[in-house]
Amino acid sequence: SEALRGGTTFLETKTGYGLDVDSEVRSAQVAREVADTVTFLGAHVVPAGVDADDYVALVTGDMLRAVRPYVDAIDVFCEEGAFTVEQSRAVLRAGREAGLALRSR
């Protein structure tokens, strides 16, 4: 691959741009095909017009269950304008309970 020719020996990629279950699953599946490790970043941003707590419930429930076969770790953006400390803890707790490594920003 081009990355290997350039000296890259390990690839990590993250999901998180789909903002819905189907898009996150597709992103995780494609990432699994090319990367050594895949991090689920469903809690990247809250989609426009969606309640943040409702979105956290989706990320920690249906979305996490759907992407779990393809990912190794979970991440969350914990910062003003993204997710609160409480919401971030809920995301990381759900990931840990699902057996994923934890990442946070």
Side-chain angles (χ1 to χ4, degrees):
S1 82
E2 187 173 329
L4 189 56
R5 285 191 301 276
T8 301
T9 59
F10 188 86
L11 294 173
E12 177 200 9
T13 191
K14 296 182 181 189
T15 71
Y17 298 94
L19 305 180
D20 63 61
V21 173
D22 291 339
S23 297
E24 282 297 297
V25 168
R26 182 68 184 134
S27 178
Q29 289 172 326
V30 170
R32 174 55 53 208
E33 293 174 11
V34 298
D36 297 296
T37 189
V38 180
T39 297
F40 170 47
L41 183 52
H44 179 176
V45 313
V46 179
V50 177
D51 177 78
D53 289 329
D54 290 344
Y55 188 68
V56 168
L58 176 66
V59 167
T60 60
D62 290 345
M63 194 179 288
L64 175 58
R65 281 188 294 278
V67 302
R68 180 60 189 99
Y70 312 103
V71 301
D72 308 296
I74 192 165
D75 195 353
V76 57
F77 276 113
C78 181
E79 61 186 48
E80 191 171 325
F83 296 92
T84 66
V85 170
E86 182 179 310
Q87 292 165 337
S88 297
R89 284 185 178 140
V91 169
L92 294 174
R93 188 177 311 111
R96 182 178 54 220
E97 290 170 2
L100 297 175
L102 306 181
R103 312 242 194 281
S104 65
R105 300 183 182 274

